[in-house]
Amino acid sequence: MTVLLELLILFVFLALVWPVIKKENWKEKFIDNRHARSILIVFILILLFVMAISVFFDTFYPLERLK
């Protein structure tokens, strides 16, 4: 039930924000701008690192159920 609620909220958010996203010139703002591109690369690397760490700990140190 919670996942369905989260997906619904995501779709509502995208429906509200999509007109603003469509009007922006993303290539000029983020790809052609060297500073913005480097910040995006760093954010993506941080995201990948955090995801890799979480997968590592979920795999090798799973949660134990208390009885």
Side-chain angles (χ1 to χ4, degrees), residues 37-63:
R37 183 175 58 219
S38 64
I39 290 173
L40 282 175
I41 291 170
V42 168
F43 282 151
I44 290 170
L45 288 175
I46 290 171
L47 177 66
L48 290 175
F49 178 74
V50 168
M51 290 174 68
I53 290 293
S54 65
V55 167
F56 173 80
F57 280 107
D58 285 344
T59 303
F60 293 109
Y61 303 103
L63 291 176

Side-chain angles (χ1 to χ4, degrees), residues 17-47:
V17 176
W18 186 251
V20 177
I21 291 173
K22 255 174 93 171
K23 291 180 186 176
E24 295 292 332
N25 188 359
W26 293 100
K27 186 171 188 312
E28 179 183 309
K29 270 189 172 178
F30 294 106
I31 305 302
D32 295 338
N33 186 350
R34 293 180 69 204
H35 294 296
R37 183 175 58 219
S38 64
I39 290 173
L40 282 175
I41 291 170
V42 168
F43 282 151
I44 290 170
L45 288 175
I46 290 171
L47 177 66

